[in-house]
Amino acid sequence: MVNKVILIGRLTADPEVRATSAGVQVANVRVATNSYAGKDEAGNRKEHTDFHSLVFFGRQAEVAGEYLRKGRLVYADGRLQTRTWDDADGKRHWATEIVVDEFQMMGPKPEEAA
């Protein structure tokens, strides 16, 4: 079986970094990706944007928190994971996220882009 995700997209916000009760660093961030969605009636190209949740652990979380910033183009390689939990009212929630195994910052920093 294979559970593999590769994305290239732009960060929609700065990462949120925290530590677990065991002291492990965790960083969460959302990434937007675009795909071609055909053409409209006037023949103009249409794009579709998807938003993905990335989660980093350990040293990668520290690096992500230090260097990743909103607007930065990033390559992420990881696996899908779905979590479920019940809130205080007993309502069930779930989230599908990409647990990042490796990542690379791409292109210029947002403030360097012209």
Side-chain angles (χ1 to χ4, degrees):
M1 291 187 245
V2 176
N3 182 353
K4 182 79 164 175
V5 177
I6 297 173
L7 295 175
I8 297 176
R10 294 212 180 268
L11 276 66
T12 62
D14 292 349
E16 295 177 13
V17 182
R18 62 180 173 78
T20 66
S21 57
V24 177
Q25 294 291 309
V26 180
N28 296 91
V29 69
R30 303 227 345 131
V31 171
T33 59
N34 295 330
S35 59
Y36 177 65
K39 293 186 177 184
D40 62 17
E41 297 78 27
N44 298 317
R45 180 183 170 103
K46 294 190 316 184
E47 286 192 355
H48 174 77
T49 302
D50 284 304
F51 297 91
H52 314 276
S53 297
L54 305 182
V55 60
F56 303 81
F57 291 98
R59 178 69 181 131
Q60 284 194 337
E62 295 172 23
V63 172
E66 188 173 340
Y67 293 104
L68 294 181
R69 293 291 172 258
K70 179 180 179 177
R72 186 81 190 246
L73 189 63
V74 66
Y75 162 92
D77 183 331
R79 62 184 170 80
L80 284 177
Q81 171 180 282
T82 301
R83 297 182 295 117
T84 60
W85 69 95
D86 296 326
D87 65 16
D89 297 327
K91 184 176 178 185
R92 171 76 32 123
H93 297 269
W94 64 91
T96 300
E97 55 200 6
I98 297 152
V99 177
V100 177
D101 294 323
E102 63 180 83
F103 73 99
Q104 291 182 1
M105 295 165 277
M106 301 177 66
K109 294 178 186 175
E111 63 271 10
E112 293 174 359

